[in-house]
Amino acid sequence: MELTKIGFGGGCHWCTEAVFQSLKGVSQVNQGWVASINENNTFSEAVIVQFDDRKIDLKTLIEIHLLTHKSTSNHSMRNKYRSAVYYFSNHQKEESAHIIKVLQSNFENKIITKVLEFKNFKPSSEEFQNYYESNPEKPFCKTHIHPKLKLIMQKFSKNIDQRKVNHINPTIS
């Protein structure tokens, strides 16, 4: 099975990791910091998602990403939480930009998410990997991650891998 890689940044990587780990077709989510090039060459919290594009498409992944972080807000923490899709090929670059342009009509405010070249990745410390899976009852998870998972369960139920979600926290569904 050939997997495709794409990167997502925008909010806390604990949240982003949990969102993408819950999806069918996603085989691995690496949490850490991603750097791009030029003015975006500093590291920002992000995840690298490996997925089977026969089971979940890039459009669905990008739409979920846009809905589960502040993709229309240019807030003061954007250096730490750069809103981005990190591409690994020119085809991904073009497809991602087109998808965001099409999805703009679903948003009241302008999407600020950038499509950026992937340059470098630094993983989070081992203690923070699979954070939600290890800590679903912590206040941070209940406050910030549960609402994101509930949102995608409502809007993308056919893309949710119930085995993953129920294993993580059976009370969420």
Side-chain angles (χ1 to χ4, degrees):
M1 167 177 64
E2 182 79 20
L3 295 175
T4 303
K5 265 195 305 195
I6 193 82
F8 295 106
C12 168
H13 49 207
W14 297 349
C15 296
T16 310
E17 175 189 59
V19 164
F20 289 106
Q21 283 178 332
S22 71
L23 301 174
K24 290 178 186 173
V26 171
S27 63
Q28 187 172 343
V29 180
N30 299 101
Q31 176 210 115
W33 289 267
V34 172
S36 185
I37 59 170
N38 302 324
E39 69 271 7
N40 296 297
N41 67 354
T42 57
F43 283 96
S44 182
E45 290 193 27
V47 297
I48 304 298
V49 175
Q50 294 186 37
F51 65 101
D52 181 343
D53 61 12
R54 295 169 301 173
K55 295 181 180 177
I56 190 165
D57 61 20
L58 185 58
K59 180 183 182 289
T60 301
L61 292 172
I62 290 175
E63 186 172 9
I64 288 169
H65 178 58
L66 295 175
L67 291 171
T68 55
H69 82 285
K70 294 179 178 174
S71 60
T72 61
S73 173
N74 201 10
H75 55 74
S76 63
M77 295 295 289
R78 276 292 166 224
N79 286 337
K80 183 177 181 184
Y81 304 121
R82 184 181 304 127
S83 183
V85 174
Y86 296 96
Y87 63 87
F88 287 83
S89 70
N90 282 331
H91 174 73
Q92 268 187 348
K93 175 185 178 181
E94 292 168 12
E95 186 178 5
S96 297
H98 176 73
I99 290 167
I100 291 170
K101 184 178 179 182
V102 168
L103 290 173
Q104 177 61 66
S105 64
N106 298 339
F107 290 81
E108 188 174 316
N109 297 318
K110 181 172 175 25
I111 296 171
I112 63 155
T113 305
K114 298 175 182 175
V115 178
L116 301 172
E117 180 179 347
F118 171 86
K119 184 66 175 169
N120 204 352
F121 178 76
K122 290 192 310 189
S124 298
S125 312
E126 187 66 35
E127 67 185 294
F128 297 118
Q129 298 292 327
N130 300 304
Y131 188 81
Y132 182 73
E133 184 176 329
S134 303
N135 305 285
E137 296 304 317
K138 286 210 172 182
F140 178 89
C141 295
K142 287 182 171 185
T143 301
H144 298 287
I145 299 174
H146 284 193
K148 293 172 194 283
L149 292 176
K150 285 180 181 178
L151 172 77
I152 62 172
M153 283 183 178
Q154 291 168 352
K155 293 188 177 233
F156 298 91
S157 60
K158 72 179 195 289
N159 300 107
I160 298 296
D161 186 333
Q162 287 298 326
R163 293 171 304 160
K164 293 178 184 178
V165 175
N166 291 336
H167 168 72
I168 292 170
N169 186 356
T171 62
I172 195 99
S173 49

